[in-house]
Amino acid sequence: MTPMMNLLLLPLRAGGKDLEEKKGPFENTELDVPEGTPVPYAIYQFQVTHPGVNNFRLSGEGQDGIMITKDGWLYLEMPLDWSRNDHYIIMVEALAEDEVVDDPVYVTIHVLDVNNNAPFFNQSIYTAVVRENNPEGIPFTRVFASDEDDPETPNAHLTYSLVSQIPNKQHIPLFQIDPNTGEISTTEAGTQMLKAREGIQYGRGEDQSIDALRTKFNDYCPVQNIPFEENPFFTCVERELRRPR
């Protein structure tokens, strides 16, 4: 009978390094692995001096996604996610016919964050009030965004900018934003050009109810054939009165 041989071919990715650079002795090791790497991804190959070693065994956290071949290649079967876990500690045993050879070694895998998360604002709409003659550069509101990448790396560094303003009369920017803090303030032009609308004037202690407004209209316009709720001038002033102050 002709003998048969089954071969398991594992096309490991080196991730920018030659596989020869990823080989080392069977000892405690710390390794850096970028998150999201295509798999299978070669991490490290243990080279043992014991002549009888023909297999390896893993145990510890992350074992489901981290595997090892019979010739000592530690590799990823699933991509790592920094936001899920930024490091793993696994134990590796060298086996000779299912018998443990010497003491096990420990491998610490540090997951390196990559810039794969887009920043997002903590709310979709911001509402702010700016007083006329507000000094240039003095913030009157602030926006806030965050990023789920590693805050200890440049991946999570955010920069703010204003894209447009509406209305945009004369194409003059009236507002500016601090690129680092998100604080919004008026520009020099904004300080000069932003003017508040004149409000309804009342004397001290005068009744400011809608009924009082009707009385004022009757006093100033004694002959009216249009109901108050259909009079555009009255409803305009009424809206102004109801506006929060």
Side-chain angles (χ1 to χ4, degrees):
M1 179 181 295
T2 302
M4 299 181 64
M5 179 178 296
N6 294 321
L7 296 178
L8 174 62
L9 300 179
L10 187 62
L12 295 175
R13 301 173 185 265
K17 281 188 177 181
D18 188 277
L19 290 178
E20 289 297 322
E21 299 178 34
K22 295 191 170 190
K23 297 180 179 181
F26 188 67
E27 62 185 18
N28 294 341
T29 307
E30 293 194 21
L31 303 167
D32 293 334
V33 179
E35 68 170 336
T37 52
V39 294
Y41 176 82
I43 302 175
Y44 189 82
Q45 185 185 34
F46 293 104
Q47 297 182 313
V48 296
T49 56
H50 195 290
V53 172
N54 58 7
N55 204 354
F56 293 84
R57 182 166 61 201
L58 298 181
S59 60
E61 44 183 281
Q63 186 180 354
D64 291 342
I66 303 173
M67 312 294 289
I68 194 166
T69 65
K70 289 186 176 183
D71 58 350
W73 267 110
L74 192 67
Y75 70 97
L76 291 181
E77 193 173 56
M78 296 186 299
L80 299 179
D81 184 350
W82 175 87
S83 61
R84 180 179 178 185
N85 205 334
D86 62 0
H87 77 283
Y88 296 87
I89 300 176
I90 57 177
M91 185 177 73
V92 183
E93 295 174 302
L95 307 176
E97 302 298 337
D98 295 330
E99 295 293 330
V100 177
V101 176
D102 296 329
D103 294 329
V105 299
Y106 292 88
V107 180
T108 301
I109 297 176
H110 300 286
V111 183
L112 303 181
D113 177 59
V114 298
N115 194 7
N116 60 350
N117 289 295
F120 56 92
F121 286 98
N122 65 333
Q123 59 191 72
S124 58
I125 298 176
Y126 292 83
T127 301
V129 175
V130 57
R131 296 181 181 277
E132 64 177 351
N133 299 320
N134 191 72
E136 173 196 358
I138 302 300
F140 60 86
T141 190
R142 180 190 179 191
V143 296
F144 179 78
S146 58
D147 191 301
E148 292 184 350
D149 287 312
D150 186 354
E152 301 299 322
T153 69
N155 295 338
H157 178 71
L158 303 180
T159 300
Y160 298 90
S161 63
L162 294 180
V163 178
S164 63
Q165 67 178 27
I166 300 173
N168 189 15
K169 296 180 179 179
Q170 303 177 23
H171 303 287
I172 297 175
L174 306 181
F175 305 97
Q176 59 193 353
I177 189 169
D178 187 301
N180 298 314
T181 66
E183 294 176 324
I184 298 176
S185 59
T186 53
T187 62
E188 180 179 1
T191 298
Q192 297 174 358
M193 298 177 64
L194 290 174
K195 302 297 180 181
R197 282 176 24 183
E198 293 186 3
I200 305 302
Q201 302 298 317
Y202 285 89
R204 178 177 297 179
E206 186 177 358
D207 183 11
Q208 300 184 20
S209 67
I210 300 302
D211 289 336
L213 178 63
R214 290 192 178 95
T215 301
K216 284 182 176 289
F217 260 74
N218 288 330
D219 291 341
Y220 286 98
C221 307
V223 179
Q224 290 192 81
N225 298 321
I226 304 175
F228 288 113
E229 60 273 10
E230 296 179 11
N231 187 323
F233 300 102
F234 179 86
T235 54
C236 176
V237 178
E238 182 184 26
R239 283 195 301 272
E240 176 68 19
L241 282 178
R242 296 183 185 277
R243 196 160 59 105
R245 301 178 185 278

